[in-house]
Amino acid sequence: MSQSLIWNRKDLIDIEPLSRPEIETIFRAATAFKQAMEADNKKQPYLEGRTVVNLFLEPSTRTRLAFEVAASRLSADTITVTGEASSLTKGETLRDTARNMEALRADMIVMRHAASGAPNYLSKVVDIPVINAGDGSHAHPTQALLDAFTLLEKLGSLEGKKITILGDILFSRVARSNISCLQKLGAEVTVAGPSTLVPKRFERMGVKVSHRLKEALTDADAVMLLRIQHERQTATHFPSIGEYTSMFGLNKARAAWLKPGAIIMHPGPINRGVEIDSELADSSQSVILRQVTNGIVIRMAVLHLCFCAHHKQTVHLP
Ligand code: CP
């Protein structure tokens, strides 16, 4: 099937520059891949004979595996390179590493990096498509896309829906990308947590900032929990983990403040008993594993669209 889809980008670095029709194009492709996956679970041929390099220079379970599965389901060969196993440890620059991958005939690079801006830099020094799989506290575009896609499956539309993001907002690339994506789709976003991790300046992004849990959860259609990102913090932002949990951890009593049937989300990895009780993470309200599954088709859509844009090919969908 040939489609007139709105997409002309070879790279996906951030949600910010995307228009709503571009986001909806990704969802349209993801929906087609999901329907095909559920119908017969067969591989799609669109990246046959191509090589996708996953350059993961910061730990990852879900994103790395989902990109590997997505590329494989598009019939690409995949190579995963991690920081410890590369010559980056011998002083080679990121630019030289990436240009060597290009010389080895990689067709696309998916990159996670601890430094904000690294994928954007990489996209300027190689000609092949670069997909951001999370950079520092800057952006995690495919996570935000799979989160919004999951919410749309459950809620139908995000127009006027109240979504609360609760936890370590300050250091979170997931929060920044989600704020941008959810707002473009018409949602009202509240960010909540302790004032040290949720500074008032986030209001400049058009969100409501709340330091009171009950206020942030009351009448929310969905709550997205975030873990404390110790790896990016250089100072202590609250007295202890126990005190964080007692003030801001989501438990059954506090979940009752949400709208009846409200959705509970988490990008993972979960710190059970810290930001969310196990009982809620595993409850029927939780879509945490659905988010992971949707991560496959969102990444298939992004890889396919960026590859087609780079090669000026018509996008075909199942
Ligand atoms: N959600 C997410 O980015 O998880 P990983 O760090 O395991 O990839």
Side-chain angles (χ1 to χ4, degrees):
M1 176 172 57
S2 185
Q3 308 259 350
S4 56
L5 299 163
I6 297 160
W7 190 265
N8 192 25
R9 297 177 187 274
K10 80 170 182 68
D11 308 306
L12 178 64
I13 305 299
D14 196 356
I15 293 291
E16 204 47 49
L18 301 187
S19 64
R20 182 168 175 163
E22 286 177 303
I23 292 171
E24 287 168 349
T25 291
I26 295 171
F27 292 162
R28 201 163 136 198
T31 300
F33 286 130
K34 187 160 184 176
Q35 284 168 352
M37 194 163 81
E38 286 172 353
D40 63 11
N41 206 28
K42 280 192 184 149
K43 284 190 178 188
Q44 301 297 329
Y46 306 116
L47 291 182
E48 200 170 318
R50 305 294 179 171
T51 302
V52 176
V53 172
N54 290 310
L55 179 58
F56 273 67
L57 304 178
E58 197 190 53
S60 169
T61 297
R62 279 147 292 275
T63 312
R64 181 170 62 79
L65 292 177
F67 268 112
E68 286 178 9
V69 171
S72 162
R73 296 197 66 84
L74 290 167
S75 303
D77 295 320
T78 59
I79 299 171
T80 294
V81 182
T82 58
E84 310 76 55
S86 78
S87 288
L88 284 157
T89 57
K90 302 176 196 163
E92 187 169 42
T93 63
L94 182 59
R95 178 176 185 272
D96 283 334
T97 301
R99 294 201 65 191
N100 276 271
M101 288 171 176
E102 209 174 16
L104 289 163
R105 295 287 181 262
D107 291 288
M108 306 182 83
I109 298 177
V110 176
M111 185 169 77
R112 169 166 290 194
H113 202 288
S116 296
N120 185 43
Y121 167 72
L122 202 70
S123 70
K124 312 286 185 226
V125 299
V126 294
D127 290 329
I128 57 177
V130 174
I131 313 297
N132 181 4
D135 62 327
S137 55
H138 170 240
H140 196 346
T142 58
Q143 180 69 47
L145 290 164
L146 75 89
D147 290 338
F149 184 76
T150 304
L151 279 167
L152 282 168
E153 281 185 334
K154 298 296 279 185
L155 299 173
S157 160
L158 294 187
E159 284 301 338
K161 294 293 190 306
K162 292 183 178 167
I163 315 294
T164 293
I165 309 176
L166 170 61
D168 175 358
I169 308 297
L170 184 60
F171 294 94
S172 175
R173 55 195 176 211
V174 174
R176 283 175 181 76
S177 286
N178 259 296
I179 290 169
S180 179
C181 191
L182 294 170
Q183 286 179 335
K184 283 173 195 277
L185 296 168
E188 293 170 20
V189 181
T190 297
V191 292
S195 57
T196 46
L197 291 175
V198 191
K200 275 279 190 194
R201 66 172 181 271
F202 272 88
E203 283 175 350
R204 284 185 227 143
M205 293 183 77
V207 298
K208 187 172 164 192
V209 169
S210 177
H211 303 130
R212 290 200 294 273
L213 191 55
K214 188 168 187 180
E215 173 190 76
L217 294 182
T218 299
D219 288 337
D221 293 283
V223 60
M224 189 180 295
L225 285 312
L226 298 177
R227 74 184 169 89
I228 308 299
Q229 288 139 112
H230 299 286
E231 71 274 23
R232 285 197 273 282
Q233 297 182 2
T234 51
T236 310
H237 289 76
F238 45 85
S240 69
I241 291 286
E243 280 156 297
Y244 176 84
T245 303
S246 72
M247 293 287 291
F248 292 101
L250 191 68
N251 56 32
K252 206 170 173 186
R254 290 167 175 175
W257 295 330
L258 296 160
K259 215 175 241 185
I263 298 162
I264 295 173
M265 311 180 79
H266 197 309
I270 301 174
N271 287 166
R272 287 173 183 264
V274 179
E275 69 272 12
I276 183 169
D277 272 7
S278 269
E279 186 183 16
L280 286 173
D282 301 330
S283 71
S284 58
Q285 275 175 277
S286 163
V287 293
I288 294 170
L289 291 177
R290 181 191 276 248
Q291 289 171 263
V292 176
T293 304
N294 283 339
I296 299 170
V297 291
I298 285 291
R299 280 142 185 153
M300 287 174 81
V302 168
L303 290 170
H304 184 38
L305 290 167
C306 290
F307 181 85
C308 287
H310 181 51
H311 291 277
K312 302 196 182 343
Q313 289 178 0
T314 305
V315 177
H316 294 276
L317 294 175

